[in-house]
Amino acid sequence: MKKASPPRRASIVSIGNELLSGQTVSTNAAYLGERLFAISIPIVSSYTIGDEIDSTVRALKLASSDADIIIATGGLGPTDDDLTRQGLAKFLGVELQLHNELLDKIQNMFARRERPMPERNKIQAYIPAGAKAIDNKLGTAPGIMAESNGKLFFVLPGVPSEMKQMFEESVLPELQRFAGSQAIIIRKLKCFGTGESNIAEMLGDLMQRNRNPLINCTVEHGVITLCIVAAAKDKNQAEKMAEKDEKLLRNILGDLIYGVDEQTLAEVVGEKLARQNKKIATAESCTGGTLAKLLTDIPGASRYFTYGWITYSNDAKISQLDIPRDLINKYGAVSEQVAQAMAQQARKKADTDIAIGITGIAGPDGGSEQKPVGLVYISVDTGSGCETRRFIFHHNRDSIRLRAAQTALNMLRLRL
Amino acid sequence: MKKASPPRRASIVSIGNELLSGQTVSTNAAYLGERLFAISIPIVSSYTIGDEIDSTVRALKLASSDADIIIATGGLGPTDDDLTRQGLAKFLGVELQLHNELLDKIQNMFARRERPMPERNKIQAYIPAGAKAIDNKLGTAPGIMAESNGKLFFVLPGVPSEMKQMFEESVLPELQRFAGSQAIIIRKLKCFGTGESNIAEMLGDLMQRNRNPLINCTVEHGVITLCIVAAAKDKNQAEKMAEKDEKLLRNILGDLIYGVDEQTLAEVVGEKLARQNKKIATAESCTGGTLAKLLTDIPGASRYFTYGWITYSNDAKISQLDIPRDLINKYGAVSEQVAQAMAQQARKKADTDIAIGITGIAGPDGGSEQKPVGLVYISVDTGSGCETRRFIFHHNRDSIRLRAAQTALNMLRLRL
């Protein structure tokens, strides 16, 4: 294969009835997307089809009209509904050929498991004429690599563990030779504290589609990810462009940016607590342990997290945190006063530097005109002062609870 | 639209650069696949493309050559990289039109959140001429429904919660009118307490692929879902077949089955607690609030959940639960004795009918030869006796914590 100069592009074909009927969520395409993106081969399209020879032929045609590298997964098993190798052979216009060395391997694999090879596994030793087998260390089905009209085709099993092992060991080294003349660098900035459209407003023209670096924006549970994709002739230049944009975004967004790449709020807060050698306690009502769970999701959380209370009932608030019953009667359990008392009492009882109190109405029931579902008070007591804020969160119970816990972490982050 | 006699088929178009570059695993296509399958409309193809007008037009063309029902998701946001409505208009050969009633709705949504509407959100009030808006109760972007050449097009947001709500409320009722001549009934049985291969062994021939009803098995975080798919000429007959199989499976699997459909362990345990009018408290160490969070994920959990302690440090165990320091020194914080003391003390302190204590090593550090990462002791005190069990959970920190909390719920379920 000649070293072509235009940038390489890839297309994915995922094959399997179970993918269409929703019995399986395919993670293979996302995995391949991320791995290929990292070597500057963007995926431009992805097709999911059922286990049929003609669908396979059609999808391979479409994929090869989009891209020079086509990776198909699934349909290499031994059962009658696995028809990908037949589909590939038909697409290439060649016959399937039995490879005795592959048959030996498959028989040996069964022998090691002390089982006879079922007759139907023999099909896995067939490869389209002119194509090559790709070794499968974890299962019986070898993969297939073929070249046609200057395009490269890889067919891998659908089982994620086998697919990944074979991709990393056999496909990736092959592709790295073709990693285009274009270098792509990706930087992710994680933001919290405002909405997607607000961020877009702040960034203005920077988010234009024809810009390089391209800035993409995705949002999940209130965390906004800005993805800077810089393309240049060489890696160095792409890195410089991405760096320049990162600075630009940091100038505009300031402390809305809490981290980079895959960092979570809990991770960033945990790092700050550990670095500053501070301990934290939590007192939760409506979030019912969500905040403590997020904090302790992080390995090594015991360096800073010591105590947590889930005072779900009024009695628990009174008996465990000594919140005065009068305070609850006067202002209600969901109030600024009770949130603040929860934080202050937790800090005192746990003898920590910091404590967070959360009280609110997660719903779906329990709301009123004055105190609607979604109303949450969050109080952060850092010893040098107690900040208590009122929020109205939306959507549903899960979302209200998660946003409340994340917002508490964000309030704390801004004070550390 | 006329009531056509041939069975309807659907095709999915998923739109978003983040889907191709692997930054997001799309669960929307699988969700739609399952829901459509349930009303006998098979998905025959699924296309994933980037945020580009021309790619959208091409994918809509391909999808409508495969199927009569086309559902596209993603690209309806307010930012410049959201181009699906423009793509649909181009495909249909019409202009986008501003709908003032949609603009009012969007402005009202911002007003309720006490924020001004950013100018760029205005684009979300535009709909291709001749198409209809689909109401979005959870976000600002309305969906779009259009008809062209006897084919139905639905465009929904990519955010899963919004997509699902709109699909269930607006798209599904529309599609049910076209459900094919074959009736399919799906029953799901949820199991916990043994492995997938063990269940497959127990079921034997029942899991054969050519059987009707077909029995599928999927596993996620230890929860095994058996899906009975019965196909028959009419709904009545399919229902009878599914019912018969459900009885068969219940006979074989007994109390490994904890629930049906989308029920969680926490939901089933919560229902039992509420029905028996029993209250529960939790004392968690390694799970750091995961168990309390699972219990309080359920609306109305305050009927049975009152107190939770997260005694992450030894000091917290001693000061909050009065665990004797000697007991910790003698057996270690991760021991049968301490787990049992945590459950017993929590029950006493919270004055509840039941309490659960969990202590273990979630890792990745902190393990030893005698007490490896994944070792967890769970104790359930129901007043009529305290059951404490030792487990070794696997994989990683997240998985160990979640499996421990789920296993605690399962131990409790079997005693209620």
Side-chain angles (χ1 to χ4, degrees):
Chain A
M1 185 126 192
K2 56 188 176 298
K3 289 207 180 179
S5 39
R8 298 274 164 173
R9 294 142 62 97
S11 181
I12 306 291
V13 178
S14 306
I15 302 166
N17 292 332
E18 74 283 6
L19 302 174
L20 291 175
S21 65
Q23 287 158 51
T24 302
V25 175
S26 173
T27 54
N28 285 345
Y31 178 84
L32 292 171
E34 196 164 21
R35 298 299 287 145
L36 288 170
F37 210 70
I39 56 163
S40 310
I41 298 177
I43 291 187
V44 291
S45 59
S46 173
Y47 302 89
T48 306
I49 54 166
D51 292 295
E52 279 165 35
I53 292 177
D54 289 340
S55 305
T56 305
V57 172
R58 177 171 172 270
L60 290 172
K61 273 186 195 157
L62 287 169
S64 58
S65 77
D66 298 340
D68 348 86
I69 293 159
I70 294 89
I71 302 182
T73 60
L76 291 180
T79 56
D80 293 343
D81 56 352
D82 293 305
L83 297 165
T84 301
R85 57 174 69 72
Q86 290 87 335
L88 177 64
K90 190 169 176 186
F91 168 78
L92 296 170
V94 299
E95 295 294 313
L96 284 174
Q97 290 179 336
L98 177 65
H99 286 230
N100 282 313
E101 79 283 6
L102 294 176
L103 190 58
D104 286 349
K105 261 192 207 167
I106 298 169
Q107 279 170 333
N108 283 339
M109 182 162 263
F110 277 96
R112 278 201 305 280
R113 297 177 188 178
E114 292 168 14
R115 281 160 45 195
M117 185 189 87
E119 187 57 24
R120 60 175 67 244
N121 279 82
K122 196 174 169 184
I123 183 72
Q124 298 185 311
Y126 283 81
I127 296 285
K132 285 197 296 183
I134 301 173
D135 196 28
N136 182 347
K137 292 217 160 66
L138 303 177
T140 54
I144 303 168
M145 176 180 157
E147 207 181 317
S148 174
N149 292 324
K151 313 222 167 200
L152 268 181
F153 295 81
F154 298 92
V155 181
L156 301 173
V159 181
S161 56
E162 298 180 22
M163 187 284 291
K164 287 179 189 175
Q165 196 274 332
M166 293 164 76
F167 177 82
E168 297 296 329
E169 190 161 311
S170 305
V171 180
L172 199 56
E174 198 68 39
L175 293 182
Q176 264 157 343
R177 295 195 288 129
F178 302 112
S181 51
Q182 187 178 253
I184 294 182
I185 290 289
I186 300 180
R187 280 285 158 82
K188 286 185 194 173
L189 297 178
K190 310 287 258 188
C191 312
F192 194 92
T194 190
E196 188 184 9
S197 48
N198 226 354
I199 290 211
E201 199 102 319
M202 291 169 85
L203 298 188
D205 286 352
L206 289 172
M207 283 192 67
Q208 270 181 359
R209 296 297 79 200
N210 52 3
R211 188 175 179 277
N212 179 19
L214 186 66
I215 298 177
N216 287 318
C217 177
T218 54
V219 59
E220 197 176 3
H221 301 308
V223 172
I224 289 162
T225 304
L226 291 169
C227 192
I228 304 167
V229 184
K233 282 242 172 75
D234 64 80
K235 209 178 153 184
N236 229 342
Q237 201 191 331
E239 234 154 38
K240 270 189 196 142
M241 289 164 63
E243 233 161 70
K244 199 178 146 201
D245 261 24
E246 180 175 342
K247 270 192 199 138
L248 201 58
L249 293 187
R250 284 189 182 275
N251 269 337
I252 296 170
L253 298 172
D255 63 14
L256 286 172
I257 298 174
Y258 74 79
V260 295
D261 298 331
E262 308 309 322
Q263 280 187 314
T264 64
L265 274 166
E267 213 174 317
V268 169
V269 165
E271 271 169 26
K272 287 191 174 212
L273 289 169
R275 215 181 309 123
Q276 298 176 23
N277 201 21
K278 284 183 175 162
K279 299 247 186 299
I280 183 169
T282 55
E284 302 179 64
S285 186
C286 64
T287 46
T290 310
L291 175 58
K293 182 194 174 290
L294 290 177
L295 280 164
T296 59
D297 276 340
I298 312 303
S302 58
R303 287 172 298 164
Y304 44 83
F305 182 81
T306 52
Y307 286 55
W309 286 268
I310 300 152
T311 53
Y312 215 62
S313 64
N314 286 351
D315 277 352
K317 293 180 186 71
I318 295 161
S319 76
Q320 292 308 303
L321 293 174
D322 299 336
I323 309 289
R325 190 179 293 274
D326 286 351
L327 196 75
I328 296 176
N329 287 342
K330 189 165 173 193
Y331 299 104
V334 178
S335 61
E336 191 184 331
Q337 291 80 1
V338 170
Q340 182 171 326
M342 286 169 69
Q344 290 172 335
Q345 286 297 104
R347 190 172 154 267
K348 203 171 106 187
K349 291 219 144 207
D351 192 22
T352 50
D353 304 285
I354 298 161
I356 296 179
I358 304 182
T359 179
I361 302 162
D365 302 317
S368 67
E369 184 91 1
Q370 276 82 39
K371 299 193 175 179
V373 167
L375 173 68
V376 178
Y377 291 93
I378 303 175
S379 184
V380 178
D381 184 357
T382 56
S384 61
C386 191
E387 178 193 5
T388 308
R389 289 180 61 192
R390 175 185 181 273
F391 299 90
I392 306 266
F393 298 113
H394 295 279
H395 303 322
N396 55 29
R397 183 177 176 87
D398 285 350
S399 164
I400 290 166
R401 281 156 49 94
L402 185 55
R403 286 295 279 275
Q406 292 271 63
T407 300
L409 289 172
N410 196 50
M411 280 173 67
L412 175 55
R413 170 181 73 91
L414 295 170
R415 297 196 53 183
L416 284 175
Chain B
M1 185 128 191
K2 57 187 177 296
K3 290 205 177 175
S5 40
R8 298 273 162 174
R9 294 143 61 98
S11 181
I12 306 290
V13 178
S14 306
I15 302 166
N17 291 332
E18 74 281 7
L19 303 173
L20 291 174
S21 65
Q23 288 159 48
T24 302
V25 175
S26 173
T27 54
N28 286 344
Y31 178 84
L32 292 172
E34 192 167 20
R35 297 300 286 145
L36 289 170
F37 199 71
I39 56 163
S40 311
I41 297 175
I43 291 187
V44 291
S45 60
S46 174
Y47 302 90
T48 305
I49 54 167
D51 292 295
E52 279 165 33
I53 293 177
D54 289 340
S55 305
T56 305
V57 173
R58 178 170 172 269
L60 290 173
K61 272 187 196 156
L62 287 168
S64 59
S65 77
D66 297 342
D68 350 82
I69 294 159
I70 295 90
I71 302 180
T73 60
L76 291 181
T79 56
D80 290 343
D81 57 349
D82 293 305
L83 296 166
T84 301
R85 57 174 71 71
Q86 289 88 334
L88 177 64
K90 190 168 177 188
F91 168 77
L92 296 170
V94 298
E95 295 293 313
L96 284 174
Q97 291 178 335
L98 176 64
H99 286 229
N100 283 313
E101 77 284 4
L102 294 176
L103 190 58
D104 286 347
K105 260 192 209 166
I106 298 169
Q107 279 169 333
N108 284 337
M109 182 161 264
F110 277 96
R112 277 201 306 280
R113 295 178 187 179
E114 295 166 16
R115 281 161 45 193
M117 185 190 89
E119 186 57 25
R120 62 177 63 245
N121 278 82
K122 197 173 169 186
I123 182 71
Q124 298 184 313
Y126 281 81
I127 297 284
K132 285 197 296 182
I134 301 173
D135 195 30
N136 181 347
K137 292 221 162 64
L138 303 177
T140 54
I144 304 169
M145 177 178 154
E147 207 180 316
S148 175
N149 291 324
K151 313 223 167 199
L152 270 181
F153 295 81
F154 299 91
V155 181
L156 302 173
V159 181
S161 57
E162 298 180 20
M163 188 284 290
K164 286 178 190 175
Q165 195 273 333
M166 292 163 77
F167 178 80
E168 297 295 330
E169 191 163 310
S170 304
V171 180
L172 198 57
E174 200 68 41
L175 293 181
Q176 264 158 343
R177 297 196 286 129
F178 304 111
S181 59
Q182 194 187 33
I184 294 181
I185 291 289
I186 298 181
R187 279 285 158 81
K188 286 186 190 171
L189 297 178
K190 310 288 259 187
C191 312
F192 195 92
T194 189
E196 189 183 10
S197 49
N198 225 355
I199 289 207
E201 199 106 318
M202 290 168 87
L203 299 188
D205 286 351
L206 289 174
M207 285 191 66
Q208 270 180 359
R209 296 296 78 197
N210 52 3
R211 189 175 178 277
N212 179 20
L214 186 65
I215 297 178
N216 287 319
C217 178
T218 54
V219 60
E220 195 176 4
H221 302 307
V223 172
I224 290 162
T225 303
L226 291 169
C227 192
I228 304 168
V229 184
K233 282 241 172 76
D234 65 81
K235 208 179 155 187
N236 229 339
Q237 201 190 332
E239 233 153 39
K240 270 188 197 145
M241 289 163 64
E243 232 161 72
K244 199 179 147 200
D245 261 24
E246 179 176 341
K247 270 192 199 139
L248 202 58
L249 293 187
R250 285 190 181 275
N251 269 336
I252 296 169
L253 298 171
D255 63 13
L256 286 172
I257 298 174
Y258 74 79
V260 296
D261 298 329
E262 307 310 320
Q263 280 187 313
T264 63
L265 275 166
E267 212 174 319
V268 169
V269 165
E271 271 169 26
K272 286 190 175 212
L273 289 169
R275 215 180 311 122
Q276 298 176 24
N277 200 22
K278 284 184 175 162
K279 299 245 184 300
I280 183 169
T282 55
E284 303 179 64
S285 186
C286 64
T287 46
T290 309
L291 175 58
K293 180 193 175 291
L294 290 177
L295 280 164
T296 59
D297 276 340
I298 311 304
S302 58
R303 286 173 298 163
Y304 43 84
F305 182 81
T306 51
Y307 287 55
W309 287 267
I310 300 152
T311 52
Y312 216 60
S313 63
N314 286 352
D315 277 352
K317 293 179 185 71
I318 295 161
S319 76
Q320 292 308 303
L321 293 173
D322 299 334
I323 309 289
R325 191 178 293 275
D326 286 352
L327 195 75
I328 295 177
N329 287 343
K330 189 164 172 193
Y331 300 104
V334 179
S335 62
E336 192 185 328
Q337 291 79 2
V338 169
Q340 182 172 325
M342 285 170 70
Q344 290 172 334
Q345 286 297 104
R347 191 173 152 268
K348 204 171 104 186
K349 292 219 145 210
D351 191 23
T352 50
D353 305 286
I354 298 162
I356 296 179
I358 305 181
T359 180
I361 302 163
D365 301 318
S368 67
E369 185 93 0
Q370 276 82 38
K371 298 192 175 180
V373 167
L375 173 67
V376 179
Y377 291 93
I378 302 175
S379 184
V380 178
D381 184 356
T382 56
S384 61
C386 192
E387 179 192 5
T388 308
R389 290 180 61 191
R390 175 183 183 275
F391 299 89
I392 306 268
F393 298 112
H394 295 281
H395 303 319
N396 55 28
R397 182 175 176 90
D398 285 349
S399 165
I400 290 166
R401 281 157 48 96
L402 184 56
R403 286 297 280 274
Q406 291 271 62
T407 300
L409 289 172
N410 197 48
M411 281 173 67
L412 175 56
R413 170 180 73 93
L414 295 170
R415 296 195 55 184
L416 284 174

